[in-house]
Amino acid sequence: MVISAILVGLLATCGQWWFFGPITKCLVYPLTTGTLVGVFMGEPMTGMIAGATIQLIYLGWISAGGTMPSNTIVAGIFGTALTIMSGADPKMAVTFAIPFSMLGLLLNQVYMTVNAAWIHQADKLLEKGNIKGVRIMNYLPSFCMALLLYGVPVFAMIMFGSDWSQSMLNAIPGSIINALEVVGGIMPALGIAMLLNYLGKKTLMPWFFAGFFLTEYSKLDLTAVSIFAAVIAIILYFNDKKTTTAQQGEKKKVRRLSVNKKVEVKEVGQSTEVAEEITKTIDGPKKKLSKKTLIKTWLLTTSTEACYNYERL
């Protein structure tokens, strides 16, 4: 039981830590986490069925702009573990998963808020040129926070039984829950504002409002609107491609002021000297990065997502 509790605790920790990194991306889905919890607890089939059942209610789940409608990590891991421990029908896993997913929202808000402090420490280390320290501040504190908020509770739940988890839920003061619910209600607005900040281009904004009003007044669901949007995007893509091809076929000319102050008309393009230089460079010896270097670079770049937080989305 101790080994099972440790493995499930590490699974919950890694599912939150490095949250949007490619290494643990699949650990946000109950279908994956439920199966792994079942394997760790000696009930693989029960875990798989429970995880699949929980996954059904989160098929349309998406986290955009830092908002999270429900915590699928906690729902999948805690819900499946509690289902196995109680010996209940795996089809009833949703009953256990939903309350824990609500608790997971509170845990996620704490995690995303506290992580912002470590980033400021990383900034100070970066000013000193301490790259190793920056990486440590990305990895270590965020891992400890994920372990404390996710790993320890599920470890204790498996070790001490479902009564402990219920008492933990009841021990949270109502005022704290109300405050976090208010913050959780504000976060979707913040997420939409951040998305609009990136989307705020004159050529794109009309499409945003068109999609919004189409959904609101036509009473179509998101699937129908998405299909229409995809068709429009494909049409625009092919039309733009034709226009680009036609423009490339025509040589543009520009007016340039020469050294002797005479205006000359020249075709846009590379000069012969530049073209020859590029040809020599291409024909020269080629160097390939080793597989080890590529993997190391990939791992180091994903470290920037290990300390995911509200301030540095």
Side-chain angles (χ1 to χ4, degrees):
M1 184 62 73
V2 176
I3 296 178
S4 297
I6 292 175
L7 290 175
V8 176
L10 288 175
L11 176 65
T13 301
C14 292
Q16 175 64 39
W17 183 60
W18 224 344
F19 185 80
F20 284 102
I23 290 181
T24 57
K25 179 66 175 177
C26 62
L27 297 185
V28 303
Y29 300 112
L31 183 61
T32 304
T33 54
T35 303
L36 292 175
V37 169
V39 171
F40 294 155
M41 298 185 69
E43 297 285 346
M45 288 304 298
T46 304
M48 185 182 299
I49 297 173
T53 304
I54 298 171
Q55 182 72 62
L56 288 175
I57 64 174
Y58 296 114
L59 286 177
W61 178 89
I62 185 173
S63 177
T67 65
M68 182 180 285
S70 56
N71 196 319
T72 56
I73 302 170
V74 173
I77 295 176
F78 284 67
T80 303
L82 200 55
T83 301
I84 295 174
M85 291 170 58
S86 63
D89 189 332
K91 296 180 180 178
M92 299 297 294
V94 175
T95 307
F96 301 113
I98 292 177
F100 280 106
S101 70
M102 297 298 103
L103 173 64
L105 290 178
L106 307 182
L107 297 178
N108 182 71
Q109 290 174 17
V110 175
Y111 179 81
M112 296 279 284
T113 302
V114 175
N115 273 353
W118 320 132
I119 298 300
H120 290 289
Q121 295 299 320
D123 289 341
K124 295 179 181 179
L125 292 171
L126 183 61
E127 291 177 356
K128 299 177 182 179
N130 189 348
I131 303 300
K132 184 178 180 180
V134 172
R135 291 171 184 160
I136 291 175
M137 291 308 299
N138 266 288
Y139 282 104
L140 188 58
S142 60
F143 176 82
C144 293
M145 286 300 302
L147 179 65
L148 178 64
L149 295 174
Y150 290 79
V152 172
V154 74
F155 173 85
M157 184 184 73
I158 296 175
M159 288 299 299
F160 304 117
S162 58
D163 293 337
W164 180 87
S165 59
Q166 187 62 44
S167 62
M168 179 183 67
L169 291 173
N170 296 333
I172 302 175
S175 58
I176 294 179
I177 293 178
N178 292 335
L180 290 174
E181 285 179 351
V182 172
V183 174
I186 297 174
M187 292 313 300
L190 176 62
I192 292 174
M194 295 182 68
L195 290 176
L196 287 176
N197 185 38
Y198 291 106
L199 191 64
K201 297 180 180 179
K202 294 180 180 180
T203 56
L204 297 178
M205 288 303 295
W207 294 106
F208 172 81
F209 287 107
F212 174 79
F213 287 113
L214 181 63
T215 306
E216 184 66 23
Y217 291 104
S218 66
K219 303 304 179 184
L220 295 174
D221 56 22
L222 289 178
T223 302
V225 175
S226 299
I227 292 173
F228 285 125
V231 172
I232 293 173
I234 292 172
I235 293 173
L236 291 176
Y237 170 76
F238 283 115
N239 288 339
D240 183 67
K241 191 174 182 180
K242 290 180 181 179
T243 304
T244 304
T245 305
Q247 290 177 349
Q248 289 177 349
E250 300 176 358
K251 293 183 178 180
K252 295 182 179 179
K253 296 182 178 181
V254 294
R255 296 168 62 86
R256 292 178 180 172
L257 184 64
S258 61
V259 178
N260 55 8
K261 297 183 179 182
K262 292 183 179 180
V263 177
E264 299 177 354
V265 178
K266 292 187 177 181
E267 293 183 353
V268 175
Q270 296 173 331
S271 63
T272 306
E273 292 79 5
V274 175
E276 290 178 355
E277 184 66 27
I278 292 176
T279 304
K280 291 179 181 178
T281 305
I282 295 175
D283 294 337
K286 297 180 181 180
K287 294 184 180 180
K288 290 186 177 180
L289 295 175
S290 65
K291 186 176 181 180
K292 181 180 179 181
T293 302
L294 292 173
I295 294 175
K296 182 179 178 181
T297 304
W298 173 67
L299 288 173
L300 292 178
T301 52
T302 54
S303 70
T304 58
E305 299 179 353
C307 195
Y308 198 66
N309 61 89
Y310 283 136
E311 185 176 336
R312 304 289 174 88
L313 286 171

